[in-house]
Structure formats: structure tokens, C-alpha cells
Amino acid sequence: MKMVFPQGLIWEMPQTDEPAVYITFDDGPHPFATQFALDQLKKYNAKGTFFCVGENITKYPDVFEQVLNQGHAVANHTFNHMNGWKTENSAYLENINKAAEYISTTLFRPPYGKIKWAQAKLIRRKYPDYKIIMWSILSCDFDKKYSGKQCIENVIKNIEPGSIVVFHDSAKAWDRMCFALPKVLDYCRKQGWEMKKLPY
């Protein structure tokens, strides 16, 4: 069955004369996973976009400040990592509102990529500047059925200028993310692609 998503979701960025890709991270901040991601981005002169869970910001505010201080973009990923398909619409928006108290952004990504038409409409009404960001490529680092090597292959086989790639700065994804991220960043650098934060 083909999935039907609300209109207006952003799955990739337009290609430009200066090729770029967009590395993103979901579910942080996290004390060691986010720190590792920041260190790798710095090593490869890359900028990323961090879709943060509000509850984790309250747990690790210093890590969140590091993300900001190093010039990366931060974005709303709800306060409690809510599944839109399993959440009443007003409660979903309320959870986004709660996260917005901690995250100054115009970017939102639905956890699990699951969002209803009505929820997208409510978000646009409440936050007309918000862009709802999905992805071109899932690394699948969150899935224990995948190896770190398979996560690398998921990205490298599909990435091209304009791609939005998802990693996770979380304990769940750590074993695979810490193996795959440096190799993906190295691959992108060797292609001559700039690694940029989402430009909204």
C-alpha cells in the first residue's frame, strides 16, 4: 500500500550550482551521542540540523547549548517524541507548543515521520513560518536489525546533492551511528559536497 502524506512536506532540497547535502539528527540532545556528532561535524567542517525532543533539552541543557554555540540548526521534534498517528490532534499540537518553549526554530519533523493531514494543517495555522521537514534518506541507525555497515550503504547508495539524511543522536542508535556517521561525512567531503544545515 502506498503511503499518502500531507502536501507541503519537504523531502529534499533543490540542487544548486554549489552542491550540498543536509545531514540531520533526530531525538537528542543526548550526552555522548550528540557530543560525538558535534565532534564529527567539526572534524569534517560540516553543519547539521538537530531535531530535538523538548524533554531531552530539559535533561541535557548544556549539550543543547553546545549545538547552538557551534553554529548548527535546532528544530522541533515534539516534547515527548509523540507518534502523530496515535495521538489526538489537539494533544499533538500542545506537545509541539511545549517543545517550542525551548526551541527557537522554523523547522519541525514529526517523530517516526508519522503525521496526519489535520495535524499538519494545525501546525501551519499555529506556526505559519514552520517548514515540516521529512527526508530523502534514512540511515536506519535506529534499527537494530541493521549493521553499521548497512547504515553506511543505505546512505552512500542513495545520497546526491539536495539529499536530506537522517541519523539519530540517541542511545538506541549509538552503536550504528558512531560507526556510520564519520564514513558518510568522509564520503561527502570526497565528493566535494558542502554539508550544510537546513536553510530556513
Side-chain angles (χ1 to χ4, degrees):
M1 181 178 72
K2 183 178 180 180
M3 299 303 300
V4 179
F5 288 93
Q7 292 181 340
L9 306 188
I10 296 171
W11 296 87
E12 62 185 2
M13 297 299 298
Q15 297 187 33
T16 65
D17 291 339
E18 297 180 358
V21 293
Y22 302 85
I23 308 297
T24 70
F25 300 88
D26 285 5
D27 300 354
H30 184 274
F32 57 81
T34 304
Q35 186 62 63
F36 177 84
L38 290 173
D39 291 345
Q40 293 303 309
L41 291 170
K42 184 176 182 179
K43 177 180 177 181
Y44 288 95
N45 193 29
K47 295 299 181 186
T49 304
F50 289 77
F51 288 84
C52 297
V53 174
E55 185 177 28
N56 289 338
I57 294 173
T58 68
K59 292 177 181 177
Y60 310 112
D62 293 347
V63 180
F64 182 68
E65 284 300 315
Q66 283 188 60
V67 175
L68 291 171
N69 291 339
Q70 293 186 26
H72 304 287
V74 294
N76 192 322
H77 201 48
T78 74
F79 191 83
N80 297 110
H81 202 262
M82 299 195 84
N83 183 332
W85 292 359
K86 297 180 179 180
T87 307
E88 197 273 330
N89 294 345
S90 61
Y92 191 71
L93 184 63
E94 183 179 341
N95 207 259
I96 293 167
N97 293 343
K98 190 173 182 181
E101 295 175 12
Y102 298 88
I103 308 167
S104 178
T105 186
T106 57
L107 302 171
F108 173 74
R109 175 177 282 155
Y112 314 102
K114 294 179 178 179
I115 186 169
K116 301 173 190 171
W117 286 87
Q119 291 165 348
K121 188 174 180 180
L122 285 171
I123 292 168
R124 293 193 187 100
R125 186 181 304 156
K126 174 74 175 181
Y127 300 102
D129 293 335
Y130 265 30
K131 307 295 184 184
I132 301 177
I133 307 294
M134 303 300 274
W135 57 79
S136 315
I137 302 167
L138 275 177
S139 66
C140 294
D141 57 350
F142 61 90
D143 191 336
K144 293 182 178 180
K145 295 194 297 289
Y146 286 81
S147 67
K149 183 179 179 182
Q150 286 173 312
C151 293
I152 296 167
E153 292 171 351
N154 286 344
V155 178
I156 288 177
K157 285 183 178 179
N158 297 292
I159 195 168
E160 61 184 5
S163 292
I164 300 173
V165 183
V166 181
F167 284 97
H168 292 76
D169 52 333
S170 67
K172 180 180 179 180
W174 168 248
D175 288 346
R176 291 159 295 283
M177 187 273 277
C178 71
F179 182 80
L181 178 63
K183 293 173 177 61
V184 168
L185 295 176
D186 186 62
Y187 176 83
C188 292
R189 185 172 66 178
K190 287 176 178 175
Q191 304 310 304
W193 300 335
E194 190 173 359
M195 291 164 276
K196 299 172 69 173
K197 60 186 178 182
L198 289 164
Y200 297 113

